[in-house]
């Protein structure tokens, strides 16, 4: 992308995170690197971004024990208002509630 001078946008990064959900524990490290790139480009994460992160960490957690990522994500979203930017934004709250109730 950089060779063609094309900058990734929020949907590009969300697609990467969505694919990383299928990578098990390996997806954890890559998802944090991806989140770092999002922040470095000053792109505001959407609810789908956070949904993919908790999906990556909690799916991987089923084999390695619980993780604190949900608390970190909730700290990030607290007090913010969101506008739908990704079709997967609608899944965040139901997925977060499912994780908390387990």
């Amino acid at each position: 992308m950089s060779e063609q001078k094309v900058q990734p946008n929020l949907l590009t990064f969300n697609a990467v995170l969505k694919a990383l959900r299928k990578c098990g524990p390996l997806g954890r490290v890559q998802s944090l690197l991806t989140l770092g790139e999002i922040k470095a480009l000053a792109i505001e994460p959407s609810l789908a971004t956070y949904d993919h992160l908790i999906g990556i960490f909690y799916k991987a957690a089923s084999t390695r024990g619980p993780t604190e990522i949900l608390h970190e994500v909730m700290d990030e979203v607290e007090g913010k208002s969101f506008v739908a930017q990704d079709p997967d934004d609608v899944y965040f709250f139901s997925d977060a509630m499912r994780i908390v109730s387990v």
Side-chain angles (χ1 to χ4, degrees):
M1 289 181 84
S2 62
E3 289 178 11
Q4 297 174 351
K5 299 187 185 197
V6 175
Q7 187 170 353
N9 62 20
L10 176 65
L11 294 177
T12 307
F13 285 116
N14 282 351
V16 170
L17 291 171
K18 190 173 188 175
L20 288 172
R21 291 178 84 146
K22 297 178 179 13
C23 295
L26 176 65
R28 286 180 168 192
V29 173
Q30 292 302 316
S31 68
L32 294 177
L33 293 173
T34 302
L35 184 61
E37 287 185 55
I38 292 170
K39 291 183 176 186
L41 292 171
I43 296 172
E44 189 67 31
S46 71
L47 290 173
T49 308
Y50 296 121
D51 182 58
H52 296 317
L53 284 171
I54 63 173
I56 291 164
F57 278 79
Y58 278 89
K59 186 171 188 173
S62 64
T63 59
R64 300 182 105 194
T67 177
E68 294 297 316
I69 194 76
L70 184 61
H71 297 288
E72 293 174 32
V73 167
M74 294 310 291
D75 288 343
E76 283 284 323
V77 302
E78 185 176 10
K80 291 184 182 178
S81 61
F82 289 89
V83 174
Q85 300 178 67
D86 184 303
D88 290 338
D89 284 345
V90 299
Y91 300 118
F92 173 76
F93 291 106
S94 62
D95 287 348
M97 292 303 292
R98 180 183 44 79
I99 290 168
V100 171
S101 66
V102 173

